[in-house]
């Protein structure tokens, strides 16, 4: 007689229970809601924006702006482009950085551990659910953008100024590829935020810290004098998905980006698990 | 900090693996003359060399200096070569005038440099005065390599890059198969003449090593003594330029100068193995120049290898993959033919084709291809494309203005700009002949040909034939900005009588994507060329067949592909690591020993000690037991170590020493036995956005146990929150949360209930109710452990008590034993002295004063009524008699009056 009847460590904190725990939270609903709202806001902005065509900055950005209204695929691409560098980072940091730290700050973490939910299982479930929500946010953004963009601008080939137009069917696949790569890159943020979430009881510290470090890495990446060091910055390959817009696709940078992202995420998560399974819970 | 370390490591200078020495080398000013000029030179020597090393003569491009090739010199020196760089005569700090790689001047200078190298003790020699040497150079330096190898057999190998075969053809290109003089390439010629006209300039402009894109600073004023029309050009070269640029038709003297400076006539003399590297984005010296060189040298039986890269005078160094490839080929060539190391390079021909843009640096990405032997510029196959379009009249603008734009000479390095197409045609000046979209992709590599017919009222026509690639969206691209200038003479006035001439377009490397159309445009003007000044209207027609040379090479494995394997390996390693970690954990979890002796005891704490990392000892040593049916109070002042003990019981904290056993199972984080413990430690912890009921449900869901086992209603009843249970917990009062937390701890009726200060925040009726609940709970073989710093709490709730202070147990046992009536009594009397006297006469153990009017009397079995009666009889007034209790004694005696604990525990 070692455990209560019906208790199995592997059955504690079922994924679905954690999904519900997070789903009932306002910040989850707001974050996901905003992901759905953003494409609509962008759409409305385009509608009211008029067409006084001044040069908007140059580079591939302006080309994406110019092409954003050329079809649903381009609208979705534009929505992703403007969100990828900051908004998605914040959302992923929120889902992954808040998950453990908020339980700690509420004091409910110790009761979960006294259930007992094995620590590694608790982290594992929390991580999986946080990643699921992050992916859901990404898919919501892209899905809504694709939907409203297609309804408003039609189903047209994916255009870009650096390559010929891509037919809609293949364009959709490219868009999925871009989503996949963004998801992989955001693993770095997810890893960092999750690690900080384990290390601190302050949810804000975990989320803010992850975003802060991400921005710092982005800034360092702008400094070309750093040379080869830049290749090791977590944000260095964050825009490699643009290679999917050219024909044929340029995937070399994406492969290296994926290596970087997977390595960083693995390191961060390993430290998180190592630390959490050993530390005294003081919250 | 790690980042900082890496930054420092990357930026910190390494010790160079070469040494340099600068010297001016004197060479004859003119053949046969007595005067000398000095050539500004620098010798790079490998720092670690055993014995003599082979040498490389590294020449710079037009307008450059010895510094232009610095990085290449350094990398060659790293490979173990003595590298001699110098500033050619007429440039930089070197003396003399520019003779355009004349065999009598620049090439003789090269021979003197070979002499100089042979005399250096560090340089390996084949014979006295014959150094083991290769000559490498781009553009101007490439032609020098060819001409020097033709003139001097001491040269052991050459690597000419992006250079010319026939300078006349380069500046007066003629793409039609006629003998008429070509069209003067005024854009490039002017640019070069302007460069050479520059007076000696300050050194140090590090330039691209292959000679492209040299842009030395132009001085504001010319120094005295220099002909402002010619700058540092030699008189004959200057005169040749001036005559050509004026009329567009070179005179005999100009042709002689150009011929003398061309490798074409002397290629047969070259015996040094030659590696020719030519750029496909080069409107100055297109691929056909290298082709002519390759054929000329190969005709003499000399080993020749050719490579193309995506770059050149317009395209710059090209993408990194191309730079790596050409560097590798150069090193391989020199190593074998000069150093004598490594296998003989293969005969294979390598080239690259633009594959797209890199997302990161916005540069181009190319794929490399290889074929077994150099096929020339006519490809290994042909693809015929039909063109449609009637004969069209086109106007020649007076003085070539406005003129069509095809390339921008001199902005080398802007590869993407060139490829994106700056091309633009002027309406009325061009005729278009278009094809249908191609059904399948065509890999063009070489010079396309088309047959052109033209009529002109003057009998002559200067035309430019271009091949556009048009994508389905209508965007047209002029590959590499290359055009075919044609000057036709003896033309009829009527197009019907015009004979077709074959026009060979510049060689390109391009994939025509399926669905793209091709367009031949014949135009009358191009800003890069000199066209007839008089306005004329020509009529042009193109025969319907466009012949495209094709080549299907084997893709050179992209070194980047290795990263895919790295990624796959990384993922596999992570998976493997995960599996190993899980297995190890499972094995570890399996060996949790059970102490059979205590298998039926709810809680046994044995020698528990907890030290924190900072050395603070929260619990010195605590041992106690909670049996079934007991309600045990853990009593102690704040900071006595109660909470730390309870944290261990919740599996939150690992004890430093000792252990806690629940039914014989040690309590470690995540131990399954914790499922039989219900707990409330350090206050409630609820999800603020959920209601009380939802919180309890969420908690029970986390246990993964059947819903029926929760005894949910009983717990809710204990919480006694009424309808408030449906409100969000963030709106709860402290007491409500406390009750909800106790209910949560009781969910599932665990065998052991651990409550930390359970009555905290409750009002007196609730406290009374809670006491009843706890006492009732401990029936049915369950047990309760309550911690409190309130004596009354423990006294009224518990059956047993454990008193802790400063991390140690000071008393433990039945509450009745501890808390029960003590043998001593506190008596307050009116006359203390008299009372003491009376008591001394009675059978009591001790009498101690307690304040001004009090006495503490150890009764020793004497009845209190008897003592009071005796005192009253003796006339001592008794204000009150208070029975003392043992626990209070112990508490005060052991804990002391000092209300401060041993620390915040």
């Amino acid at each position: 007689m070692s455990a209560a009847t019906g208790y199995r460590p592997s059955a504690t904190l079922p994924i679905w229970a954690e999904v519900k725990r997070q789903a009932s939270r306002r910040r989850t609903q707001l974050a996901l809601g905003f992901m759905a709202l953003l494409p609509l806001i962008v759409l409305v902005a385009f509608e009211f924006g008029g067409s006084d065509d001044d040069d908007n900055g140059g580079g591939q950005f302006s080309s994406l702006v110019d092409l954003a209204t050329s079809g649903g695929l381009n609208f979705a691409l534009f929505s992703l482009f403007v969100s990828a560098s900051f908004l998605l980072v914040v959302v992923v940091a929120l889902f992954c950085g808040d998950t453990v730290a908020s339980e700690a700050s509420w004091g409910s973490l110790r009761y979960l551990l006294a259930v007992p939910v094995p620590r590694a299982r608790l982290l594992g479930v929390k991580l999986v659910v946080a990643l699921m929500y992050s992916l859901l946010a990404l898919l919501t953004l892209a899905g809504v953008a694709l939907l409203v963009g297609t309804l408003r601008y039609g189903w047209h080939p994916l255009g870009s100024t650096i390559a010929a137009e891509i037919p809609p069917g293949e364009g959709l696949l490219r868009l999925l590829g871009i989503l996949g790569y963004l998801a992989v890159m955001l693993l770095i943020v997810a890893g960092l935020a999750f690690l900080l979430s384990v290390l601190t009881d302050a949810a804000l510290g975990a989320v803010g810290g992850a975003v802060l470090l991400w921005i710092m890495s982005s800034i360092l990446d702008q400094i070309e004098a750093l040379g080869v060091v830049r290749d090791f910055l977590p944000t260095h390959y964050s825009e490699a998905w643009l290679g999917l817009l050219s024909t044929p696709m340029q995937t070399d940078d994406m492969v290296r980006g994926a290596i970087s992202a997977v390595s960083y995420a693995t390191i961060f998560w390993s430290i998180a698990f190592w630390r959490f399974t050993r530390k005294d819970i003081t919250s | 900090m790690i980042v900082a370390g890496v930054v420092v490591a990357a930026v910190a200078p390494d010790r160079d693996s070469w040494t340099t020495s600068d010297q001016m080398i004197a060479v004859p000013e003119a053949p046969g003359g007595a005067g000398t000029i000095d050539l500004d030179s620098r010798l790079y020597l490998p720092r670690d060399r055993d014995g003599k090393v082979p040498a490389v003569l590294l020449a710079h491009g037009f307008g450059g200096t010895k510094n232009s090739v610095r990085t290449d010199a350094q990398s060659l020196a790293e490979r173990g070569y003595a590298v001699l760089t110098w500033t050619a005569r007429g440039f930089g700090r070197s003396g003399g005038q520019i003779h355009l790689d004349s065999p009598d001047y620049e090439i003789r200078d090269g021979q003197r440099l070979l002499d100089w190298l042979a005399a250096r003790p560090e340089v390996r020699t084949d014979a006295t005065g014959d150094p083991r040497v290769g000559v490498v150079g781009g553009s101007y330096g490439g032609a020098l390599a060819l001409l020097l190898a033709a003139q001097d057999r001491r040269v052991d190998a050459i690597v000419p890059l992006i250079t010319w075969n026939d300078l006349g053809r380069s500046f007066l290109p003629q793409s039609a198969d006629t003998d008429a003089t070509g069209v003067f390439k005024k854009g490039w010629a002017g640019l070069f003449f302007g460069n050479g006209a520059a007076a000696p300039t300050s050194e140090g402009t590090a330039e691209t090593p292959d000679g492209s894109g040299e842009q030395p600073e132009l001085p504001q004023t010319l120094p005295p003594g220099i002909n402002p029309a010619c700058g540092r050009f030699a008189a004959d070269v200057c005169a040749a330029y001036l005559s050509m640029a004026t009329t567009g038709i070179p005179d005999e003297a100009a042709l002689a100068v150009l011929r003398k400076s061309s490798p074409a006539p002397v290629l047969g003399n070259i015996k040094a193995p030659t590696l020719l590297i030519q750029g496909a984005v080069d409107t100055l010296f297109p691929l056909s120049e290298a082709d002519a060189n390759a054929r000329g040298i190969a005709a003499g039986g000399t080993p020749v290898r050719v490579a193309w890269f995506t770059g050149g005078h317009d395209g710059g160094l090209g993408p990194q993959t191309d730079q790596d490839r050409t560097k590798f080929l150069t090193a391989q060539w020199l190593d074998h033919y000069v150093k004598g190391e490594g296998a003989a390079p293969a005969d294979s021909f390598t080239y690259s084709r633009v594959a797209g843009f890199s997302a990161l640096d916005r540069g181009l990405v190319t794929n490399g291809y290889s074929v077994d032997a150099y096929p020339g510029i006519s490809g290994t196959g042909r693809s015929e494309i039909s063109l449609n379009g009637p004969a069209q009249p086109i106007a020649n603008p007076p003085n070539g203005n406005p003129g069509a734009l095809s390339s921008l000479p001199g902005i080398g390095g802007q590869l993407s700009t060139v490829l994106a197409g700056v091309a633009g045609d002027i309406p009325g000046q061009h005729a278009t002949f278009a094809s249908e979209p191609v059904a399948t992709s065509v890999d063009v590599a070489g010079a396309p040909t088309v047959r052109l017919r033209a009529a002109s009222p003057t009998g002559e026509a200067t035309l430019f034939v271009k091949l556009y690639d048009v994508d389905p969206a209508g965007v047209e691209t002029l590959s590499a900005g290359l055009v075919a200038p044609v000057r036709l003479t003896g033309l009829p006035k009527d197009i019907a009588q015009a004979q077709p001439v074959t026009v060979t377009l510049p060689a390109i490397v391009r994939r025509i994507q399926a669905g793209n159309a091709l367009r031949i445009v014949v135009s009358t003007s191009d800003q890069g060329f000199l066209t007839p000044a008089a306005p004329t209207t020509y009529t042009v027609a193109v025969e319907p067949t466009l012949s495209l040379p094709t080549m299907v090479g084997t893709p050179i494995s992209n070194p980047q592909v290795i990263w895919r394997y790295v990624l796959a390996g990384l993922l596999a390693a992570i998976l493997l690591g995960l599996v190993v970690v899980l297995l190890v954990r499972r094995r570890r979890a399996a060996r949790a020993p059970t102490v059979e002796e205590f298998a039926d005891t709810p809680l046994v704490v044995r020698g528990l000690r907890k030290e924190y990392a900072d050395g603070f000892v929260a619990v010195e040593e605590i041992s106690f037991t909670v049996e079934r049916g007991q309600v045990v109070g853990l009593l102690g002042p704040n900071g006595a170590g109660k909470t730390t003990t309870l944290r261990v019981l919740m599996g939150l904290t690992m004890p430093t020493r000792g252990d806690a056993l629940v039914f014989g199972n040690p309590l470690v984080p995540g131990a399954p036995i914790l499922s039989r413990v219900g707990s409330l430690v350090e206050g409630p912890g609820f999800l603020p956005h959920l209601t009380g009921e939802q919180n309890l449900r969420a908690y029970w869901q986390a246990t993964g146990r059947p819903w029926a086992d929760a005894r949910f209603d009983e717990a809710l009843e204990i919480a006694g929150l009424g309808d408030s249970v449906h409100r969000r917990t963030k709106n709860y009062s402290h007491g409500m949360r406390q009750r909800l937390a106790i209910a949560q701890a009781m969910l599932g009726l665990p065998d052991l209930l651990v409550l930390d200060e359970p009555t905290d925040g409750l009002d007196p009726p609730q406290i009374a109710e809670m006491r009843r609940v706890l006492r009732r709970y401990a029936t049915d073989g369950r047990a309760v452990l309550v911690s409190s710093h309130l004596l009354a709490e423990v006294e009224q709730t518990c059956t047993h008590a454990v008193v802790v202070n400063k991390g140690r147990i000071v008393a433990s046992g039945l509450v009745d034993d501890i808390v029960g009536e003590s043998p001593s009594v506190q008596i307050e009397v009116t006359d203390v002295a008299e009372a003491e006297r009376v008591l001394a006469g009675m059978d009591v153990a001790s009498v101690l004063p307690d304040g001004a009017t009090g006495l503490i009397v150890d009764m020793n079995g004497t009845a209190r009524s008897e003592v009071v009666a005796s005192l009253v009889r003796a006339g001592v007034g008794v204000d009150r008699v208070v029975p003392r209790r043992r626990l209070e004694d112990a508490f005060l005696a052991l804990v002391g009056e000092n209300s401060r604990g041993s620390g915040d525990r």
Side-chain angles (χ1 to χ4, degrees):
Chain A
M1 182 171 176
S2 68
T5 44
Y7 172 84
R8 276 183 302 123
S10 58
T12 56
L13 193 60
I15 296 268
W16 186 239
E18 171 65 11
V19 168
K20 282 203 285 186
R21 267 175 108 87
Q22 301 297 333
S24 59
R25 299 185 57 188
R26 190 72 77 205
R27 56 115 210 183
T28 310
Q29 297 157 0
L30 283 178
L32 289 177
F34 187 71
M35 287 285 118
L37 196 62
L38 180 81
L40 297 172
I41 295 173
V42 172
L43 189 78
V44 170
F46 275 131
E47 291 303 302
F48 284 97
S51 58
D52 46 333
D53 199 10
D54 47 2
D55 64 327
N56 30 18
Q60 86 289 359
F61 184 73
S62 70
S63 67
L64 285 178
V65 174
D66 294 341
L67 290 169
T69 55
S70 68
L73 286 168
N74 268 99
F75 186 76
L77 183 66
F78 175 77
S79 299
L80 281 178
F81 181 79
V82 292
S83 319
S85 56
F86 190 71
L87 181 65
L88 285 174
V89 172
V90 172
V91 168
V92 171
L94 182 68
F95 283 132
C96 296
D98 186 61
T99 181
V100 178
S102 63
E103 296 274 3
S105 66
W106 294 329
S108 50
L109 180 62
R110 57 176 177 269
Y111 294 107
L112 285 178
L113 293 178
V115 157
V117 182
R119 291 188 181 189
R121 177 167 174 85
L122 181 104
L123 272 203
V125 170
K126 288 255 171 211
L127 180 58
V128 166
V129 172
L131 292 180
M132 278 167 54
Y133 273 109
S134 303
L135 187 65
L136 183 64
L138 189 63
L139 292 178
T140 304
L141 178 73
V144 172
L146 188 60
L147 185 71
V148 300
T150 305
L151 289 178
R152 175 64 187 83
Y153 302 115
W155 185 246
H156 297 301
L158 181 64
S160 76
T161 52
I162 57 172
E165 285 190 340
I166 302 160
E170 202 198 330
L172 186 62
L173 287 180
R174 301 271 182 107
L175 195 66
L176 287 176
I178 290 170
L179 278 177
Y181 182 73
L182 279 178
V184 171
M185 281 315 286
L186 288 169
L187 287 182
I188 302 174
V189 186
L192 185 58
F194 196 72
L195 172 60
L196 292 176
S197 189
V198 164
L199 296 181
T200 175
D201 293 351
L204 185 68
V207 178
V211 174
L212 199 75
L213 287 171
W214 183 265
I215 291 173
M216 200 181 83
S217 168
S218 300
I219 291 171
L220 285 179
D221 196 36
Q222 305 287 320
I223 302 170
E224 298 197 351
L226 288 178
V228 76
V229 175
R230 291 163 69 222
D231 289 354
F232 294 93
L233 289 172
T235 54
H236 184 66
Y237 298 99
S238 56
E239 286 191 350
W241 56 269
L242 288 168
L244 285 183
L245 295 179
S246 67
T247 305
M249 291 179 280
Q250 300 304 317
T251 53
D252 294 338
D253 285 331
M254 290 175 56
V255 170
R256 289 204 282 169
I259 292 172
S260 164
V262 168
S263 306
Y264 271 109
T266 307
I267 291 168
F268 289 143
W269 285 331
S270 302
I271 298 173
F273 274 80
W274 187 85
R275 184 81 192 101
F276 191 71
T277 48
R278 278 160 184 78
K279 77 166 189 173
D280 288 343
I281 306 297
T282 52
S283 61
Chain B
M1 239 171 68
I2 294 167
V3 173
V6 175
V7 170
V8 168
V11 175
D14 293 328
R15 186 164 168 270
D16 293 336
S17 62
W18 65 88
T19 56
T20 63
S21 57
D22 288 320
Q23 54 277 312
M24 302 300 275
I25 298 175
V27 295
E29 185 178 9
T36 62
I37 56 162
D38 283 336
L39 294 181
D40 181 18
S41 71
R42 174 175 294 171
L43 180 68
Y44 297 77
L45 286 170
R47 191 183 292 276
D48 302 316
R49 54 177 191 273
D50 11 303
K52 299 188 169 194
V53 291
V56 169
L57 209 53
L58 183 59
H60 63 79
F62 195 85
T65 66
K66 63 178 186 181
N67 275 341
S68 310
V69 292
R70 187 176 48 210
T71 48
D72 272 9
Q74 288 165 355
S75 69
L76 283 169
E78 273 174 9
R79 287 194 72 86
Y81 292 94
V83 184
L84 182 60
T85 66
W86 78 104
T87 304
R89 64 163 64 206
F91 294 103
R93 294 206 311 220
S94 290
Q97 291 179 311
I98 302 166
H99 294 264
L100 279 189
D101 282 340
S102 163
D104 294 332
Y105 295 92
E106 280 87 353
I107 308 306
R108 276 179 195 263
D109 292 349
Q111 290 180 287
R112 296 291 79 75
L113 295 175
L114 294 182
D115 296 344
W116 187 87
L117 274 176
R120 292 289 299 198
E122 302 91 348
V123 174
R124 201 200 299 175
T125 50
D126 292 325
T128 309
D130 178 3
R132 175 61 67 92
V133 66
V135 186
V136 179
S139 193
Y140 194 60
L144 178 129
L146 286 163
L147 289 160
L148 182 57
Q151 188 157 323
D152 198 318
R153 290 290 166 83
R154 288 179 293 173
V155 175
D156 295 296
I158 55 173
V159 184
L161 300 96
I162 58 167
T163 194
W164 67 86
N165 168 257
D166 182 333
L167 206 52
R169 190 177 56 229
S170 294
F171 281 110
L172 295 154
Q174 166 62 286
S175 300
D177 55 348
T178 79
D179 293 332
T181 310
V183 188
F184 182 55
K185 207 187 270 180
K186 68 172 182 183
W188 274 113
L191 192 81
F192 267 63
F193 193 72
N195 263 348
T201 55
S202 60
E203 281 192 51
T205 41
E207 284 300 337
T208 48
D210 64 358
S212 67
E214 283 123 7
Q215 300 287 314
E217 218 174 290
L218 288 168
Q220 296 301 310
T221 53
L222 283 170
I226 289 195
N227 179 351
C230 296
R232 298 185 75 180
F233 278 101
D236 55 342
V237 175
C238 181
Y241 171 77
L242 293 177
S243 82
M244 271 196 300
T246 310
T247 62
I249 308 290
D251 55 21
E252 260 320 301
L255 284 176
V257 167
L258 293 175
R259 202 178 305 121
K260 205 169 183 187
S261 297
S262 296
V266 293
L267 289 175
N269 297 339
I270 295 177
K271 296 300 168 205
T274 306
L275 170 65
L276 289 158
I277 297 174
Q278 201 79 353
V281 188
D282 198 327
T283 56
L284 179 60
F285 303 128
L287 296 174
S288 52
E289 292 299 303
D291 184 58
N293 280 335
R295 280 185 282 114
I297 298 169
T302 306
V304 176
R305 195 178 189 194
V306 181
W308 296 346
F309 70 103
T310 307
H313 283 89
D314 294 281
L317 294 172
Q320 191 63 45
T321 46
D322 275 14
Q323 293 181 34
D324 292 345
R325 177 165 57 89
T326 52
K327 270 202 179 110
F328 170 78
L329 291 173
T330 305
Q332 187 193 32
W333 199 261
L334 292 177
D335 283 357
H336 180 74
Y337 288 112
V338 178
K339 200 192 270 179
E341 283 177 5
D347 286 334
S348 65
F349 161 69
T350 57
Y351 64 102
S352 68
R353 190 171 65 215
V354 175
F357 286 82
S358 158
L360 288 187
D361 54 13
R362 310 281 181 264
L364 275 178
V365 176
T366 56
N367 291 338
Y369 298 90
S370 146
V371 291
D372 287 341
Y374 176 61
I377 54 170
S378 47
T380 53
R382 305 293 291 190
S383 179
E384 312 270 299
I385 306 279
S386 297
L387 298 168
N388 306 308
Q392 295 158 51
I394 49 176
N396 176 45
N399 278 321
N401 190 29
L405 189 63
S406 59
S407 64
L408 299 169
I411 59 152
Q414 301 296 312
L415 196 52
S416 48
T417 319
V418 170
L419 285 153
V422 294
D425 291 306
I426 312 284
Q429 295 182 16
H430 70 277
T432 302
F433 306 89
S435 79
E436 296 296 316
V438 298
T440 52
S441 301
V442 185
D443 288 334
V444 181
T449 55
V450 70
R451 286 167 71 75
L452 173 74
R453 290 187 299 131
S456 165
T458 61
E460 291 191 5
T462 298
L463 299 167
F464 302 92
V465 186
K466 315 177 208 185
L467 174 65
Y468 282 101
D469 181 6
V470 188
D471 77 8
V475 177
E476 51 181 30
T477 309
L478 178 64
S479 188
L482 287 159
V483 303
V486 173
R487 208 167 74 86
L488 301 173
T489 51
L491 296 175
K493 290 188 171 56
D494 182 4
I495 187 70
Q497 292 154 19
Q499 291 302 307
V501 290
T502 300
V503 175
T504 305
L505 288 123
I508 55 172
V509 181
R510 186 176 185 86
R511 164 172 283 186
I512 312 295
Q513 299 284 351
N516 283 16
L518 291 170
R519 200 175 281 170
I520 288 285
V521 168
V522 181
S523 76
T524 54
S525 64
D526 192 289
Q527 291 184 20
F529 293 86
L530 188 67
T531 50
T536 328
T537 299
Y538 314 126
T539 307
V540 293
V542 161
E543 301 281 297
T545 305
L546 167 66
S547 175
L548 299 172
T550 57
M551 199 176 338
V552 179
T554 317
I556 299 173
S557 62
N558 179 349
Q560 301 284 348
V561 170
I562 194 163
W563 292 111
R564 296 180 193 187
Y565 298 110
V566 171
L567 179 61
L570 181 67
L571 292 176
I574 289 170
L575 271 180
L576 190 69
L578 205 59
V579 168
V580 167
V581 167
L582 287 177
L583 285 179
V584 167
R585 284 183 60 89
R586 180 158 295 182
R587 178 164 298 180
R588 229 179 251 171
R591 51 158 205 259
T594 306
V595 182
E596 291 300 330
E597 182 187 352
F598 300 117
D600 201 39
T601 312
L603 179 63
V604 177
V605 176
R606 301 189 295 188
L608 197 69
R609 178 183 176 85
K610 177 66 187 175
E611 278 174 48
Y612 285 104
D614 59 1
F616 175 72
V617 181
V619 175
E620 289 279 354
E621 188 177 359
I622 284 182
S623 304
F624 63 91
T625 302
V626 178
E627 298 286 350
R628 287 183 185 274
Q630 291 181 347
V631 180
V632 176
L634 194 59
L635 181 66
N638 289 330
K642 303 191 298 289
T643 301
T644 301
T645 308
L646 296 192
R647 288 183 157 284
V648 174
L649 299 189
M650 275 178 84
L652 298 178
T653 299
M654 296 285 279
T656 312
R657 207 166 55 221
D659 56 5
L661 305 172
V662 173
F663 297 108
N665 295 279
L667 273 179
V668 291
I673 195 66
L674 275 167
S675 62
R676 299 176 66 190
V677 180
S679 48
L680 161 63
V681 173
E682 280 199 306
F686 292 115
L687 280 60
H689 54 278
L690 295 184
T691 67
E693 188 196 359
Q694 286 170 337
N695 257 300
L696 294 193
R697 283 179 188 274
Y699 173 80
W700 191 258
Q701 273 171 358
T703 65
R705 290 163 62 186
W707 179 246
D709 289 359
R711 311 290 193 93
F712 198 68
D713 295 332
E714 292 172 46
L716 275 187
E717 197 180 325
I718 288 163
L721 290 170
D723 283 344
S724 295
V725 83
H726 298 299
R727 287 169 57 206
R728 293 176 180 225
T729 52
K730 65 180 168 194
N731 300 322
Y732 277 21
S733 69
H734 186 53
M736 288 161 80
R737 271 183 222 169
Q738 188 75 8
R739 278 180 283 153
L740 189 65
I742 293 168
Q744 175 178 291
M746 288 183 181
L747 274 183
L749 301 182
D751 293 305
L752 175 64
L753 196 57
V754 177
L755 302 176
D756 188 16
E757 312 276 0
T759 55
D760 186 25
L762 303 190
D763 54 26
Q766 287 167 345
I767 291 174
E769 171 63 20
M770 192 54 61
R771 286 175 187 148
R772 274 195 297 281
V773 167
L774 293 184
R775 274 200 294 270
R776 199 165 60 232
Y777 192 86
T779 55
D780 299 344
R782 290 190 287 261
V784 180
L785 177 65
V786 176
S787 90
S788 179
H789 61 280
L790 297 174
L791 180 62
E793 173 85 38
V794 170
E795 187 185 334
Q796 295 175 45
T797 313
C798 302
T799 58
H800 293 70
V802 178
V803 184
V804 292
N805 187 43
K806 295 184 183 174
R808 289 184 184 280
I809 292 187
V810 293
S812 69
L814 275 170
V815 168
D816 289 342
D817 287 353
I818 301 175
V819 182
E821 292 194 352
S822 152
S824 61
V825 171
Q826 186 192 18
I827 305 174
E828 286 196 12
V829 293
T830 51
D831 185 345
V832 174
E834 179 62 16
E836 280 187 56
R837 195 190 55 75
V838 172
L839 290 171
M842 295 184 69
D843 181 21
V844 295
S846 68
V847 179
L848 294 168
D850 180 35
T853 59
L855 288 169
I856 295 190
V857 184
D858 190 338
M859 302 296 281
N860 199 21
T862 315
R864 285 198 285 264
S865 54
E866 194 178 320
V867 170
V868 172
S870 302
L871 286 171
V872 171
R873 274 199 299 274
V876 178
V878 177
D879 285 336
R880 46 181 199 152
V881 178
V882 182
R884 295 261 306 186
R885 285 173 297 196
R886 259 187 211 152
L887 193 51
E888 205 159 359
D889 286 344
F891 212 57
L892 290 178
L894 295 164
V895 175
E897 305 298 332
N898 189 352
S899 62
R900 276 180 294 144
S902 56
D904 189 16
R905 296 177 193 188

